[in-house]
Amino acid sequence: MREPLPADMFDELCPSALNPIRFGDKWAGLVIRCLERGPRRFSELRVPLSRVTPKVLTRSLRSLERDGLVERTVHAGATPHVEYELTPLGRSMLQPMAAACAWAEEHWDELLDARESYDSATRLDRTG
């Protein structure tokens, strides 16, 4: 039995949420990280990705599959189920993603300050 994904794998203060470097759509990088240690069922992915609606998660998985980064396998039998797994191409994304996450952690305060400054200026422009 494989170890379950932790529900708090991507808390709201996770550097990956702040990372301005995108790998695919908004959620693709997080999906790739969830599949890092092997195949997962949709319901398993929903645990750490609870902020993602099932519809959006499905769209993200399909996009990753279309790009050749994720493989979808249907297991027939008494209890049919589907699993998602990184392809070799998808696994090749892990190192660049780790570098991007490390960069975001290193520049966390600068990114937060820049976003806060921008948001404040934008609010003033709308009201002013």
Side-chain angles (χ1 to χ4, degrees), residues 30-43:
L30 301 181
V31 171
I32 290 170
R33 291 291 309 272
C34 287
L35 297 174
E36 188 172 4
R37 291 197 169 94
R40 296 289 177 168
R41 294 168 94 163
F42 188 86
S43 59

Side-chain angles (χ1 to χ4, degrees), residues 22-29 56 59-61 63-64:
R22 297 269 185 229
F23 295 90
D25 62 38
K26 179 178 180 179
W27 303 106
V56 171
R59 190 179 320 138
S60 186
L61 285 163
S63 176
L64 289 166

Side-chain angles (χ1 to χ4, degrees), residues 22-80:
R22 297 269 185 229
F23 295 90
D25 62 38
K26 179 178 180 179
W27 303 106
L30 301 181
V31 171
I32 290 170
R33 291 291 309 272
C34 287
L35 297 174
E36 188 172 4
R37 291 197 169 94
R40 296 289 177 168
R41 294 168 94 163
F42 188 86
S43 59
E44 291 177 282
L45 295 173
R46 292 277 301 135
V47 174
L49 299 172
S50 60
R51 295 177 297 174
V52 186
T53 65
K55 180 180 177 179
V56 171
L57 180 55
T58 297
R59 190 179 320 138
S60 186
L61 285 163
R62 285 182 181 156
S63 176
L64 289 166
E65 185 179 5
R66 181 175 183 257
D67 290 341
L69 303 175
V70 168
E71 181 177 27
R72 179 181 185 268
T73 304
V74 178
H75 297 277
T79 56

Side-chain angles (χ1 to χ4, degrees), residues 73-117:
T73 304
V74 178
H75 297 277
T79 56
H81 64 277
V82 174
E83 287 186 325
Y84 298 91
E85 184 172 17
L86 291 177
T87 64
L89 183 61
R91 291 196 104 27
S92 74
M93 293 290 293
L94 294 173
Q95 188 175 3
M97 285 178 54
C101 287
W103 179 89
E105 282 185 65
E106 182 179 334
H107 297 282
W108 178 264
D109 291 333
E110 295 164 85
L111 288 165
L112 284 175
D113 290 347
R115 287 183 181 190
E116 193 173 296
S117 176

